[in-house]
Amino acid sequence: KGWAVFHCRGCWTVLGDSLHLCAQDQRLSILVCYKVTNDVVWEDSLMVGLEGALLGCAHYILSCRSCGLIVGFILYSAPRDLAYLRGCFSFFKDKILCYLLQNQTIIEASRVNFPAVTLKE
């Protein structure tokens, strides 16, 4: 129930879907997927977070192949409390829109409550 497709906020390109959703983090305001479409690209170069929740975390930046909007990150190294996100695709909720298949509506990702899923266990 309640399947959703994740679209780039900049150009509406499909980036992923809730079938591959594996975690949500309210503090980081992200949706985490283990699989995304070919329209999600990342650079080979590692970035290091200099502020905020990703301070000191090495990560790759995810962007939309169609319009270039930065839509999230892949954590490479992180402190223990974020280690469960390593290697997954983390979308910033404010950079994606959700198309809800059940009622064919488009909604801000930050306003969607998906059933609890977590990689922490």
Side-chain angles (χ1 to χ4, degrees), residues 3-4 6 16-23 32-36 89:
W3 301 123
F6 306 142
D17 61 54
S18 61
L19 286 174
H20 299 106
L21 186 67
C22 58
V32 184
C33 296
Y34 60 85
K35 190 174 176 189
V36 294
F89 301 93

Side-chain angles (χ1 to χ4, degrees), residues 7 9 21 23-32 71-73 90-98 107-114:
H7 291 267
R9 179 179 213 96
L21 186 67
Q24 304 171 76
D25 190 302
Q26 300 304 336
R27 185 176 52 121
L28 295 175
S29 193
I30 57 172
L31 294 175
V32 184
V71 294
F73 61 90
S90 298
F91 288 125
F92 297 122
K93 284 185 173 184
D94 63 349
K95 300 296 183 189
I96 61 172
L97 296 168
C98 295
I107 188 167
E108 301 274 335
S110 57
R111 294 181 48 216
V112 179
N113 289 319
F114 291 100

Side-chain angles (χ1 to χ4, degrees), residues 5-17 35-43 61-74 89-91 95-96:
V5 178
F6 306 142
H7 291 267
C8 171
R9 179 179 213 96
C11 69
W12 292 89
T13 294
V14 173
L15 304 175
D17 61 54
K35 190 174 176 189
V36 294
T37 69
N38 291 334
D39 289 309
V40 178
V41 294
W42 55 95
E43 304 273 328
I61 292 186
L62 295 177
S63 58
C64 172
R65 181 186 304 278
S66 299
C67 72
L69 182 71
I70 292 173
V71 294
F73 61 90
I74 301 172
F89 301 93
S90 298
F91 288 125
K95 300 296 183 189
I96 61 172

